[in-house]
Amino acid sequence: MSELLDLSARDVLKGFQDKTISPVDYMAALCDRVETCEPKVCALYAYKPDDAMAKARASESRWVKGEPVGPLDGMPVTVKELIATKDEPVPMGTAAIDLVPAAEDAPTAARLNEDGAIIFAKTTCPDYGMLSSGLSTFHPLSRNPWDLSQNPGGSSAGAAAAGAAGYGPLHIGTDIGGSVRLPAGWTGLFGFKPSLGRIPIDPYYTGRCAGPMTPRVDDAALLMACVTRPDTRDATSLPYQDIDWDAPAMDVRGVKIGLMMDAGCGIDAEPDVKAAILAAAKEFEVHGAEIIEIEPVLTREMLDGLDIAWRARFWGMMRKLSPANRSKILPYIHEWAEAGASANPTEIASGFDQTFAMRKTCADAFDKVDFILSPVNPNVSYPADWASPTNDPAKPFEHICFTVPWNMGEQPACSINCGYSQTGIPIGLQIVAPRFEDLKLFQIARAYEAWRGPITNWPDI
């Protein structure tokens, strides 16, 4: 990998400012990396290298004059395919949708463009963004750069693959049940799901967030200063706060940290995962935190209720399609959603009410602790061509039991690498903070990252 691509986003931008790095040279190195790796990982959609190079030349001219348009001028970034960019279709990962150019940038893309970032590509996702997988009927199969036979996770599959493959440090995914944290965990990235509404998003939905997926906590902090700016299109957004995302690492002495090793249902954490999470908890304890074992926040009733509500919602979307288009949907997704057709209204309403049950248990979990640690992914990995870790549409959510409650509860949560399986796949530690304490989550994540040290063994494929 080019040494330029090893740099943090902040170091690259400093190089642009003091003219020791050219935006053109950086983009050229990035495009070379993509040309080498993309046939293997298949992370990108709407990749336009000629357009990216033209924008890099314009940025270089502005930096030479000392007139950048914003703090991210010339910095390459990707956004997930589901995040609309003007004039580019949003296929939602499926061959079933007619390709219609987006009329405008979604909030995240708009903020990046305002700050001068170069959206050089978008990243892949599975059909409707409803799989923890890189499997799609529209996009090529995305793979995990750490082991190309394995899945990067999803639904922000391409963002995870791009970040781990070295396509620059800045990537943004979306998350409604773990779709930022799950793939970040399996690919070694820092993946951050903010408090609901912290990053304006459009379209919005219960639990749906956008979030950074980056090699370092600091790279994500740089993005947060940009993408949290207000946008009136998100009726769920929080009042804007000018937060100092560069605040230093937290001193954890005396901090009470809950340790949740049982998700309450779903797949049990595998031995390699358990060992890595317990080692991470021990590190917090060594640095003065009090570790308190806590009960799960999720129940089988909650998970199954959410499942039937989502099946019905997606079946309602799919029935609007023509029979010809509906036949193009990934069979796994079609079979999963079709079960919603036979659900009665009472089941669906009761299922949706489970989101509020999760909200209560998640809030209650912080009555006696300041943060919560848990696994992100219960399993180490699974084959690249599987739709999910179970590969069974009757059991679609067995792997999201550590992540999905915090979407419904609206708490900020992150995945940060805490080790590797015996097969060399990264393992993610989930850190969760109370609602609205996004900055404190960054500060405690910075502390753990400093103890752990930088990741120096990114895959060179």
Side-chain angles (χ1 to χ4, degrees):
M1 187 188 299
S2 164
E3 290 183 2
L4 282 176
L5 301 180
D6 289 336
L7 297 173
S8 72
R10 210 176 294 271
D11 285 343
V12 173
L13 288 163
K14 184 177 184 301
F16 291 171
Q17 182 177 28
D18 61 23
K19 302 178 180 60
T20 58
I21 300 174
S22 157
V24 173
D25 290 344
Y26 188 83
M27 186 65 76
L30 178 54
C31 290
D32 285 347
R33 180 67 174 165
V34 170
E35 184 176 344
T36 298
C37 299
E38 186 59 10
K40 304 171 188 176
V41 299
C42 299
L44 303 183
Y45 164 65
Y47 170 52
K48 298 177 180 178
D50 291 342
D51 179 64
M53 287 301 299
K55 290 177 178 177
R57 286 190 288 271
S59 173
E60 181 178 64
S61 177
R62 291 191 293 270
W63 281 110
V64 167
K65 296 175 184 176
E67 299 174 350
V69 296
L72 298 178
D73 198 335
M75 192 68 211
V77 62
T78 72
V79 296
K80 188 176 179 178
E81 181 247 273
L82 298 179
I83 298 171
T85 52
K86 187 177 180 181
D87 297 329
E88 197 67 55
V90 184
M92 297 181 69
T94 181
I97 291 179
D98 296 330
L99 298 181
V100 178
E104 60 184 353
D105 289 332
T108 300
R111 302 295 86 74
L112 291 167
N113 283 324
E114 289 166 3
D115 279 359
I118 300 174
I119 302 175
F120 72 94
K122 301 184 76 174
T123 50
T124 63
C125 68
D127 285 53
Y128 292 95
M130 280 305 297
L131 297 176
S132 293
S133 175
L135 186 62
S136 164
T137 56
F138 181 83
H139 301 293
L141 178 65
S142 299
R143 296 176 179 272
N144 192 331
W146 292 88
D147 181 342
L148 295 173
S149 74
Q150 298 299 291
N151 212 294
S155 63
S156 303
Y167 296 3
L170 301 182
H171 309 275
I172 296 180
T174 62
D175 189 319
I176 197 171
S179 288
V180 161
R181 289 157 291 158
L182 294 166
W186 278 309
T187 56
L189 300 175
F190 176 73
F192 177 62
K193 182 206 81 67
S195 296
L196 185 73
R198 179 72 67 198
I199 298 176
I201 195 168
D202 180 44
Y204 53 85
Y205 186 70
T206 304
R208 185 171 187 250
C209 303
M213 299 173 69
T214 61
R216 307 164 193 82
V217 176
D218 192 59
D219 295 325
L222 187 69
L223 282 172
M224 290 298 288
C226 169
V227 298
T228 54
R229 293 202 305 273
D231 194 298
T232 57
R233 287 173 287 178
D234 184 355
T236 68
S237 62
L238 299 174
Y240 173 70
Q241 291 180 275
D242 186 11
I243 293 172
D244 179 11
W245 297 103
D246 298 333
M250 181 179 292
D251 181 348
V252 301
R253 286 176 293 183
V255 173
K256 290 180 168 57
I257 299 180
L259 178 61
M260 185 185 297
M261 296 300 295
D262 177 7
C265 53
I267 300 171
D268 289 335
E270 294 179 357
D272 284 0
V273 174
K274 286 183 178 179
I277 302 305
L278 291 173
K282 184 65 176 177
E283 194 71 35
F284 280 94
E285 191 171 47
V286 166
H287 284 86
E290 180 183 354
I291 302 298
I292 303 167
E293 293 187 16
I294 62 172
E295 296 298 312
V297 293
L298 190 68
T299 66
R300 172 55 61 183
E301 182 182 9
M302 292 174 188
L303 186 66
D304 289 348
L306 185 68
D307 184 15
I308 196 62
W310 279 0
R311 287 179 194 246
R313 176 175 182 262
F314 273 84
W315 184 248
M317 294 168 56
M318 292 174 189
R319 67 183 297 187
K320 296 176 184 178
L321 300 172
S322 68
N325 277 15
R326 199 180 307 145
S327 70
K328 298 175 184 178
I329 296 170
L330 189 75
Y332 180 104
I333 289 289
H334 191 283
E335 183 179 342
W336 168 74
E338 193 171 21
S342 59
N344 67 55
T346 301
E347 286 180 306
I348 296 167
S350 177
F352 185 75
D353 282 348
Q354 293 303 318
T355 64
F356 298 100
M358 283 185 247
R359 187 183 182 99
K360 175 171 173 49
T361 58
C362 287
D364 290 348
F366 287 99
D367 283 347
K368 296 180 180 179
V369 298
D370 304 305
F371 298 93
I372 293 172
L373 304 181
S374 80
V376 174
N377 308 299
N379 58 311
V380 165
S381 66
Y382 56 104
D385 60 355
W386 281 21
S388 73
T390 63
N391 208 30
D392 181 355
K395 299 178 179 179
F397 298 151
E398 301 303 296
H399 60 290
I400 68 172
C401 298
F402 285 111
T403 55
V404 70
W406 312 113
N407 290 78
M408 302 305 114
E410 303 183 8
Q411 288 81 9
C414 73
S415 174
I416 188 167
N417 176 255
C418 66
Y420 302 87
S421 71
Q422 295 180 55
T423 56
I425 299 293
I427 294 171
L429 168 70
Q430 181 169 237
I431 312 175
V432 190
R435 257 177 107 207
F436 313 135
E437 297 290 5
D438 303 58
L439 179 58
K440 287 184 179 179
L441 185 61
F442 264 76
Q443 290 181 283
I444 198 168
R446 283 185 190 274
Y448 179 75
E449 184 182 53
W451 308 331
R452 184 206 67 196
I455 297 175
T456 59
N457 61 328
W458 291 104
D460 190 6
I461 54 178

